[in-house]
Amino acid sequence: MDQYVSRRLIARAGIVINTGEDNYLTTADAVDKAHTVLSSQFINEAFAFRAGLNEKQLGLGHAYEIDPWIEDSFLLELSQAQLVRQIFPHHPIKWMPPTKHKTGDIFFAHVHDAMFNLVGVATNQSIELLGMFSEAVHNPMLMDRYLSLKATRYVHTACKHLGDEITFKPDGRIAKRAVQVLDEALAQLEDVSRDGIWDAISNGAFADVKRTRTGGKGYGGVLKKHAQYMNPLLDALEAQS
Amino acid sequence: MSRKELIRAYGDRQNDGMVQMSFVLPVAPSARSREAAKIFALEHGLTDPLVATMEACAEGYTFFVVYGGSKHAVDLAAIEVPEVTTRTLSRDEIELIIKNDIKRKVVVVGACTGADAHTVGIDAILNYKGYGGDKGLESYKGFEAFNMGAQVENEQLAARARAVGADAILVSQVITQRDCHKENGKALVELINSQGWRDEVLLLFGGPRIDHKLALDLGFDAGFGPGTKPSDVASFVVEQVRVKTK
């Protein structure tokens, strides 16, 4: 049983998957490495299509993880969110709230989450996860959940059609940043295509985390397929598509 | 007897004691619930509590925000808290000390011991992601960090630390029911003492209810409370290891 078999099962079952590219930004810098999320979204999409999934099943992930205190951080987030929305218009993309830059200052974190919600509604994200101001403190309590839901409802109601009203200046900061990220993602995909995905991963191309071909936590569970490997389930799943 | 140095919470004027508190009571909103919230605040030592908001947050549950003046004062002069005195160094400074003075990787093993399954603290310090934008020890070139995760027995932790030649052991304790955090911590110190290698290793204790004083009382070398960043821990460890190396 490998990921390809899992994806075949998912394709057959017709359920939506949520991919985890957004997690890169919790280890790598969310400004410098934004393109790695995009290139990984393209790779995950390609893996999914090969296993017979359709675009409506692909909750490709991205996140609001830029340091909130850098100048124009909101513009950079807006740019990335809009870029992903436009590139994958029919995918139920998954939009993750800030976690990395949260501290015990719950009052600031509540504002931080509101800005995340604003980007989410302005760019019509599909699967938006709820930000929690007590993220860095404890598992959310009833009052935490209540206040987060209330604030999110406010932003989503107050800005419901904001996305339909916005156009971006073609030569403005937001559009230029989107083009830059797209260019960097393309360059990275060309590198990956040249070096192969294994070498790319072991060189730390994604998330600044290096996993060698024979390293990593799950290595013990990886087996080479026998020449006479047979999986009647997989044969049946492949025959259907 | 030394002079008292009483301080109270500051809202708008010196010594007004103003604080805000928010909480949920398991009742539907009503005039009676509002009164219950007020009494709840009074019982907490707030004078003239103002119930600023009362909202249903789920069926049969009400969320309150209350402002009031706390009558409690604290005597600063009577407080003695030993603090970790190491200055927090920058990532570059830490890497440089390891490279130039220690000249080998600093090995750190961490775990949540006993029944504690809350890895949020040990993960924040050791794992790459870190906390509040401050990356974990795993991200440093000069550190070799092993995070054993949750529900690790003291024997396992000690054995692993010994096997990898750990410079420091990090114990995280989030659960504090019946003081189990103190017992778990103390048991590790006693175990390592009885095995006769206490001098070879730094013992660090961390968690939301832990401070330096408690850690010292239990026989650890340092304690780290809420808000501790990975670089605080890294700074303490490299300074101590540097001293030992000399």
Side-chain angles (χ1 to χ4, degrees), chain A residues 47-160:
Chain A
F47 281 144
F49 284 167
R50 279 177 211 190
L53 278 87
N54 67 57
E55 58 191 15
K56 293 211 167 65
Q57 289 178 273
L58 297 183
L60 302 170
H62 62 146
Y64 194 98
E65 288 284 21
I66 296 173
D67 179 352
W69 295 100
I70 66 171
E71 189 171 275
D72 288 331
S73 65
F74 181 82
L75 275 62
L76 296 174
E77 297 283 13
L78 189 57
S79 173
Q80 181 90 7
Q82 180 65 25
L83 176 65
V84 173
R85 179 72 284 172
Q86 279 180 224
I87 291 175
F88 305 106
H90 305 297
H91 301 55
I93 48 178
K94 177 190 68 161
W95 180 227
M96 297 289 281
T99 61
K100 182 163 71 168
H101 293 282
K102 285 221 170 106
T103 67
D105 179 357
I106 57 167
F107 302 99
F108 174 75
H110 205 37
V111 177
H112 195 180
D113 283 336
M115 297 294 264
F116 154 77
N117 285 327
L118 183 56
V119 172
V121 68
T123 59
N124 290 308
Q125 299 298 312
S126 312
I127 300 170
E128 177 173 320
L129 279 85
L130 190 64
M132 276 293 155
F133 54 79
S134 55
E135 167 81 28
V137 185
H138 50 221
N139 288 330
M141 296 184 179
L142 187 55
M143 52 277 221
D144 307 343
R145 294 165 196 265
Y146 168 66
L147 291 170
S148 290
L149 282 166
K150 182 178 170 182
T152 302
R153 193 176 71 229
Y154 160 60
V155 176
H156 276 257
T157 308
C159 304
K160 191 168 170 61

Side-chain angles (χ1 to χ4, degrees), chain B residues 81-95:
Chain B
V81 179
E83 284 180 60
V84 177
T85 48
T86 313
R87 183 173 68 88
T88 298
L89 307 167
S90 72
R91 164 176 292 267
D92 290 344
E93 288 174 305
I94 292 167
E95 297 280 29

Side-chain angles (χ1 to χ4, degrees), chain A residues 26-27 99-100 146-147 150, chain B residues 55 57 128-129 132-133 135:
Chain A
T26 65
T27 52
T99 61
K100 182 163 71 168
Y146 168 66
L147 291 170
K150 182 178 170 182
Chain B
E55 297 176 29
C57 64
Y128 205 104
K129 178 177 176 180
K135 284 181 187 160

